[in-house]
Amino acid sequence: MNYMINALTSTAAATATAQAEAAMETLAEVTGNENLNPGVIEKYMKELPDKAFALAVKVALAIIVLVVLWQVIKIVTNIIEKSLERTKIDKAIAMFLAKFIKAALQIMLLFSIAAGFGMDTASIVALLGSAGVAIGLAVQGTLSDFASGILILIAKPFRVGDYIEVTGSGMEGTVTEIALINTRMLTADFRKVVMPNKILASATVVNNFGNSMRILDTMCSIAYSADIDKARAVALDVMHNNEFISDKQECAVYVDELADSGVNLRIRGWVKPQEYIKAKWSMNEAIKKAFDKNGIEIPFPQVDVHMR
């Protein structure tokens, strides 16, 4: 019995020794150090808490530096933007330059922190360059918007505060912001419109800036049997009583076309650009009510058929 116990103990000890030697060989292969011994591992395990603590302190300091300098960059770019706005430079260009400087400083900060941790910044730049090519191919539309935004800021077909019309889209409103990717507008009925810059760069944009007043054309048809002079007098009276139509400029009513089903009248008055839509809606309703009240027929498409 004792002999068997001693044999088993010897076998277990031999197995443990063999496993330890195998582990040492594996660690040596991974680290490339052929002279590893248990003393080295023991020393490494003793130094591990100190190294982990030093790393934790370094990470904490990096986070603090990142948060503080991130806020400093934000404050600096705000100061730069306000300083540029005090000059004669366009507000949209000032915003663009401020955002560009902010992004550049933030990237430099991140690279500095990465270098502090011993990272190879050249490899990171190469990796970002490769990733940038792939991302650029994936977001060609966004890059087109970006290029169009730069073109708008340089050519200045419109500025913040201008009332513009974008032909082909049916959109019009006051420009509230010109960003790098899109332009924001506020319509007359207080809807916020976000339009990609590439659409604005390729479309025909009517800019009403500089014109304190704008002509409102209201088209209305009357029957051939109706009295044109009476219809003109009623339409002029409607314009004079409309709150949006200016009484300082001339109002006029013309026969625009002798159409198939009636006589088309062009009713023209002057309104403020930002009140154009409201004036148009109110005039359409007021003209209809006034013509109905005065017995002036507004025809609908019709065909006379004569039987022989």
Side-chain angles (χ1 to χ4, degrees):
M1 180 65 69
N2 292 333
Y3 175 77
M4 293 179 63
I5 293 173
N6 292 332
L8 291 174
T9 303
S10 300
T11 303
T15 303
T17 303
Q19 291 178 350
E21 291 177 353
M24 292 292 295
E25 291 177 358
T26 303
L27 185 60
E29 291 177 359
V30 172
T31 59
N33 190 350
E34 300 293 341
N35 299 318
L36 282 176
N37 56 69
V40 174
I41 298 177
E42 184 179 355
K43 181 181 179 182
Y44 176 79
M45 295 301 295
K46 288 181 179 180
E47 295 177 352
L48 182 60
D50 294 335
K51 291 182 178 180
F53 178 75
L55 179 61
V57 171
K58 193 173 184 180
V59 171
L61 290 175
I63 294 175
I64 293 173
V65 170
L66 177 63
V67 172
V68 173
L69 292 183
W70 202 272
Q71 294 299 322
V72 171
I73 290 174
K74 185 177 181 181
I75 294 172
V76 170
T77 51
N78 287 337
I79 294 174
I80 293 174
E81 182 177 353
K82 291 180 180 179
S83 300
L84 290 173
E85 289 178 355
R86 293 191 186 100
T87 63
K88 295 182 180 180
I89 192 172
D90 187 74
K91 182 178 179 180
I93 297 179
M95 293 175 60
F96 167 73
L97 292 176
K99 290 181 179 179
F100 180 79
I101 294 173
K102 182 179 180 181
L105 291 176
Q106 288 174 344
I107 292 174
M108 291 175 61
L109 174 61
L110 293 176
F111 270 89
S112 299
I113 293 176
F117 280 92
M119 296 183 181
D120 188 3
T121 54
S123 301
I124 297 176
V125 171
L127 180 62
L128 290 178
S130 302
V133 174
I135 294 173
L137 294 175
V139 292
Q140 293 182 13
T142 303
L143 293 178
S144 177
D145 288 331
F146 180 82
S148 299
I150 300 296
L151 179 63
I152 290 173
L153 291 174
I154 295 176
K156 299 179 182 179
F158 53 84
R159 301 182 180 184
V160 174
D162 292 358
Y163 189 91
I164 64 173
E165 302 172 58
V166 184
T167 58
S169 67
M171 300 305 304
E172 60 180 270
T174 302
V175 179
T176 58
E177 181 183 356
I178 304 175
L180 296 179
I181 305 300
N182 51 54
T183 295
R184 301 175 185 271
M185 295 188 300
L186 184 66
T187 63
D189 54 346
F190 298 99
R191 292 180 297 162
K192 293 182 179 179
V193 178
V194 180
M195 185 166 291
N197 284 334
K198 63 181 178 182
I199 295 179
L200 292 171
S202 59
T204 301
V205 178
V206 180
N207 192 343
N208 294 286
F209 176 75
N211 300 324
S212 58
M213 302 300 292
R214 175 183 175 185
I215 290 181
L216 169 66
D217 275 336
T218 302
M219 299 296 296
C220 185
S221 293
I222 61 174
Y224 275 100
S225 59
D227 187 340
I228 294 178
D229 293 330
K230 182 180 179 180
R232 179 182 288 110
V234 171
L236 288 172
D237 183 64
V238 168
M239 283 192 288
H240 291 152
N241 293 323
N242 190 289
E243 60 176 322
F244 300 109
I245 304 296
S246 173
D247 55 359
K248 297 180 180 180
Q249 277 86 11
E250 180 184 4
C251 297
V253 179
Y254 303 100
V255 176
D256 186 75
E257 182 184 8
L258 301 177
D260 294 337
S261 301
V263 179
N264 293 338
L265 299 181
R266 183 181 292 272
I267 304 169
R268 309 186 74 182
W270 292 84
V271 299
K272 295 180 179 179
Q274 60 270 25
E275 296 178 347
Y276 180 84
I277 297 297
K278 295 179 181 178
K280 180 179 179 181
W281 291 339
S282 64
M283 278 294 296
N284 288 338
E285 180 178 349
I287 288 291
K288 175 65 169 64
K289 290 180 178 179
F291 280 9
D292 290 345
K293 183 178 179 180
N294 289 273
I296 300 173
E297 180 184 357
I298 298 178
F300 50 86
Q302 52 189 301
V303 177
D304 291 337
V305 179
H306 302 274
M307 302 293 294
R308 291 185 180 180

